[in-house]
Amino acid sequence: MSHTVQIKTEIRDLVALRQACQRLSLNAPVLETVRLFSTEVKGHAIGLPNWRYPVVCDLPSGEIHFDNYEGRWGDAKEMNRLVQMYGVTKAVLEARTKGYTTTEQSLPDGSIKLTIQVGGQY
């Protein structure tokens, strides 16, 4: 039986965030206070390719703070890749915790098909 799920991603798990960064060949997140143009935020900062300011993840709230000046200071697709990889990684970690097996398939449109095997059926 197959189920399609839509997930709203909040970044709250440091282990999954670190693994997502590693999978994307990004430096590990660093807990610090970061100045984003006109404001300061504290959280786990991640430098994305060709972004002026890091993306800052506030794990307690799940919020992501960033300033890419409507794409002029960083391409949104880089942050979308991070959020996508975090979501996949978090789902895989949760599935493995419950003893389920997972398989991933990268699709031509950039999405990732994640299959979680529960009780011997897909």
Side-chain angles (χ1 to χ4, degrees):
M1 177 180 275
S2 176
H3 299 276
T4 300
V5 178
Q6 185 174 11
I7 300 171
K8 177 182 175 189
T9 305
E10 294 180 351
I11 295 183
R12 294 178 179 267
D13 184 327
L14 183 56
V15 172
L17 181 59
R18 285 183 177 145
Q19 288 185 15
C21 288
Q22 185 176 24
R23 293 178 69 181
L24 294 172
S25 299
L26 300 172
N27 289 332
V30 176
L31 180 60
E32 61 184 343
T33 299
V34 175
R35 182 154 189 86
L36 299 177
F37 190 66
S38 62
T39 186
E40 284 188 351
V41 293
K42 184 175 182 181
H44 287 82
I46 302 155
L48 297 177
N50 302 313
W51 274 55
R52 179 176 291 187
Y53 300 106
V55 169
V56 180
C57 301
D58 180 6
L59 301 183
S61 72
E63 294 177 348
I64 304 168
H65 302 278
F66 64 96
D67 186 351
N68 71 341
Y69 194 36
E70 299 177 356
R72 294 183 192 111
W73 295 344
D75 190 338
K77 78 176 184 183
E78 296 296 336
M79 189 174 75
N80 293 341
R81 287 180 60 225
L82 175 63
V83 173
Q84 176 192 47
M85 189 57 69
Y86 172 83
V88 169
T89 302
K90 179 65 177 166
V92 168
L93 289 173
E94 290 297 322
R96 288 182 182 162
T97 298
K98 294 180 180 185
Y100 305 146
T101 59
T102 61
T103 56
E104 292 179 34
Q105 179 183 5
S106 296
L107 302 178
D109 66 357
S111 61
I112 299 172
K113 179 180 178 182
L114 176 64
T115 304
I116 300 173
Q117 186 172 4
V118 179
Q121 293 184 347
Y122 281 94

